[in-house]
Amino acid sequence: MAKLSNKNSGGSFHDTTIKTTVNKLEQTIGQAQCIYNSGDDKVNYDWCCETEDGDVFTIYDWKEYRPIGSNEVIEFHIGGETKSITEQAKMELLAILNN
């Protein structure tokens, strides 16, 4: 299942998103590695993760431009090297978020 990683993230957005809360992400995969929840930048939260196959991906909010409530459901982007990696990451995330 998806887990936090300290590998170099890289990659880009391939139209893969997931709707959830900061709290749910933190409860299932851990605290975001980058937290800037001021709304002053394009990203407030950023997690670098990897799939069970070791493929690296990132989870991040995009252009909210406001502080995000920890229990507020928003759309997070999933970035990675390929669309297949981001889709696999989404499936793994959904499996652990829905438990």
Side-chain angles (χ1 to χ4, degrees):
M1 288 292 119
K3 63 181 182 179
L4 285 178
S5 177
N6 51 5
K7 293 180 180 177
N8 187 6
S9 58
S12 56
F13 181 59
H14 298 279
D15 296 320
T16 306
T17 62
I18 189 167
K19 286 189 178 186
T20 190
T21 68
V22 170
N23 268 348
K24 284 184 181 179
L25 286 170
E26 287 182 339
Q27 290 169 4
T28 56
I29 59 174
Q31 186 173 359
Q33 287 107 327
C34 298
I35 302 171
Y36 309 105
N37 197 21
S38 66
D40 293 334
D41 205 350
K42 291 178 184 175
V43 175
N44 290 319
Y45 292 92
D46 190 348
W47 290 260
C48 181
C49 304
E50 58 186 276
T51 65
E52 51 188 36
D53 292 335
D55 293 314
V56 179
F57 67 95
T58 55
I59 307 165
Y60 55 97
D61 64 286
W62 184 246
K63 293 186 177 181
E64 291 292 328
Y65 291 122
R66 62 185 175 77
I68 299 168
S70 59
N71 290 312
E72 180 181 352
V73 176
I74 65 164
E75 186 174 78
F76 287 89
H77 285 204
I78 300 173
E81 286 295 320
T82 66
K83 174 87 169 164
S84 62
I85 290 172
T86 60
E87 289 296 322
Q88 179 64 35
K90 181 176 182 173
M91 288 188 334
E92 291 183 22
L93 287 168
L94 288 173
I96 58 177
L97 287 169
N98 291 327
N99 282 337

